[in-house]
Amino acid sequence: MGAYELDGSPYVLERAALQELLDVLRAHGYTTVGPQIEHGAIVYDELHRIEELPIGWTDVQEGGSYRLERRNDDALFGYNVGPHSWKRFLSPPLRLLWRARKTEDGFEFVVDEEPPPRYAFIGVRACELHAIQQLDAIYMAGPATDKDYQRRREALFIVAVNCGKAGNTCFCASLGTGPGVGPGYDIALTELLDGEHRFVAVAGSVHGAEILETIPHRSATDADIALAEATIAQAARRMGRSLETAGLKELLYRNIDHPRWEAVAQRCLTCGACTMVCPTCFCFSIEDATDLSGQVAERWRRFDSCFTLAFSFISSGSVRTSAKARYRQWLMHKLAAWQDQFGAIGCVGCGRCITWCPVGIDITAEAAALRAEESGQLQPEPAAV
Ligand code: SF4
Ligand code: SF4
């Protein structure tokens, strides 16, 4: 057995069975959501047919760069992650919290009681499953529970996919968050492309096992299982980046006034793109609005970013006025303070913030630079863009 071992009793699904999986999930009342190509990127949207997946496409990612390329096969999941993450379905970017109407003797509150969709996510990667579990800790495990998130999460069905390829900006292997999926999925798939296009499927929940039983399948052979494990192990070996986590929190706290923060601030545009694409960034703001008649008032919740000036605005102005203060706040929260808050690093190594940063600022390089300087191995600062 390899370093990545599949749990349970693996089945093999033929490619055509994946459409049946979608059909069965929809027949059970799930809204199936999965990867598809839109505006030159692989994003997540409602998925009805397997043909809507990015068949035969892959993504090529680097700091500040993303493009799609044709593969030389018809892989359904031959790419890594794009600008979307699953958080937009579990915690929508814009959500009405309540509406109030003026009445004869005051106000009447109208709360949206429509049940949220029951989602089945198709193609959740290992790092993304960890990110969802991070959101669970934020929205459901603390003293206050986000009821809307909880309803979406408890109804969720997860079809995970083990990565068979690693992206240039990925570093999940160094964080222990991938590329093989851990517990928390209902069904996990590994795509095999050695002539016979097929999927090794493992159930991770009772409901997942029930669904899997209804799909045409056969038992996986030792050869199927060995190939699946080798595929994942190969992705781990080819990971584009890594992040050393030993003593990371202490390293960052020791270097809170390091000149490196000023250097990175020279490049950072404070655009907040890194926070929007990050699957674990969860900050939001609350906005109140009234209509022109003054009869209706609404309260909305909207994604926010710690890179905006308004984010830290208090009575006398913004607390973090410089790019240095805002970049440092983001990185320190992700890699250090998150550990104090939630007991884990707030990064799952998906690489999105590196790929989608317009100037290619790299969270792994920034942390490594501080570490290298402490150990006497100075690293050059990247040139300003
Ligand atoms: S900080 Fe960057 S690499 Fe880490 S989870 Fe967020 S987007 Fe992914
Ligand atoms: S690190 Fe990059 S993506 Fe994030 S705010 Fe700065 S320029 Fe924008």
Side-chain angles (χ1 to χ4, degrees), residues 320-340:
R320 288 186 284 272
T321 53
S322 66
K324 169 186 166 184
R326 281 176 267 159
Y327 183 83
R328 182 176 60 188
Q329 154 68 23
W330 177 73
L331 187 141
M332 292 285 263
H333 188 208
K334 281 277 160 214
L335 302 183
W338 203 293
Q339 296 191 50
D340 296 327

Side-chain angles (χ1 to χ4, degrees), residues 267-274 307 327 353 356-359 361:
R267 304 169 62 216
C268 177
L269 308 173
T270 65
C271 64
C274 47
F307 279 94
Y327 183 83
C353 58
W356 295 95
C357 172
V359 292
I361 291 174

Side-chain angles (χ1 to χ4, degrees), residues 103-373:
T103 60
E104 297 267 308
D105 47 1
F107 277 98
E108 129 189 294
F109 283 90
V110 183
V111 181
D112 184 7
E113 287 296 348
E114 277 285 299
R118 292 175 65 224
Y119 285 120
F121 292 166
I122 312 297
V124 176
R125 304 306 176 128
C127 60
E128 300 186 302
L129 187 52
H130 275 272
I132 291 171
Q133 289 160 350
Q134 295 256 6
L135 296 181
D136 293 348
I138 293 156
Y139 288 128
M140 299 200 305
T145 297
D146 181 326
K147 298 286 184 207
D148 185 75
Y149 179 90
Q150 186 179 35
R151 285 199 292 175
R152 290 165 189 266
R153 183 65 177 95
E154 287 176 352
L156 179 62
F157 190 96
I158 294 178
V159 178
V161 171
N162 288 305
C163 285
K165 120 184 214 299
N168 290 334
T169 55
C170 295
F171 53 101
C172 62
S174 60
L175 298 182
T177 53
V181 293
Y185 57 82
D186 293 288
I187 294 173
L189 304 174
T190 311
E191 184 167 29
L192 302 184
L193 294 152
D194 61 328
E196 182 199 355
H197 194 174
R198 63 198 187 285
F199 297 83
V200 173
V202 181
S205 70
V206 173
H207 193 31
E210 289 165 354
I211 295 280
L212 205 47
E213 285 300 328
T214 65
I215 311 294
H217 63 267
R218 65 167 169 84
S219 292
T221 64
D222 288 348
D224 294 322
I225 295 168
L227 182 56
E229 291 173 353
T231 301
I232 304 164
Q234 175 176 280
R237 283 194 303 275
R238 295 187 177 169
M239 202 117 312
R241 282 165 165 78
S242 67
L243 178 65
E244 173 59 73
T245 56
L248 183 57
K249 180 177 83 169
E250 294 74 16
L251 171 81
L252 291 169
Y253 284 156
R254 275 198 305 277
N255 286 286
I256 198 158
D257 291 320
H258 196 281
R260 182 82 188 190
W261 300 115
E262 193 57 64
V264 71
Q266 297 297 316
R267 304 169 62 216
C268 177
L269 308 173
T270 65
C271 64
C274 47
T275 56
M276 292 297 114
V277 295
C278 177
T280 63
C281 275
F282 62 93
C283 290
F284 57 82
S285 63
I286 300 292
E287 296 175 1
D288 291 338
T290 55
D291 72 353
L292 289 177
S293 72
Q295 300 298 305
V296 178
E298 292 176 340
R299 175 159 289 181
W300 289 85
R301 190 175 117 157
R302 183 191 292 275
F303 273 7
D304 203 352
S305 169
C306 54
F307 279 94
T308 68
L309 269 178
F311 184 80
S312 66
F313 187 90
I314 54 174
S315 58
S316 57
S318 292
V319 173
R320 288 186 284 272
T321 53
S322 66
K324 169 186 166 184
R326 281 176 267 159
Y327 183 83
R328 182 176 60 188
Q329 154 68 23
W330 177 73
L331 187 141
M332 292 285 263
H333 188 208
K334 281 277 160 214
L335 302 183
W338 203 293
Q339 296 191 50
D340 296 327
Q341 270 182 297
F342 303 112
I345 289 179
C347 169
V348 295
C350 70
R352 286 180 176 93
C353 58
I354 305 171
T355 298
W356 295 95
C357 172
V359 292
I361 291 174
D362 180 339
I363 188 172
T364 66
E366 294 310 310
L370 294 177
R371 192 180 291 279
E373 183 144 334

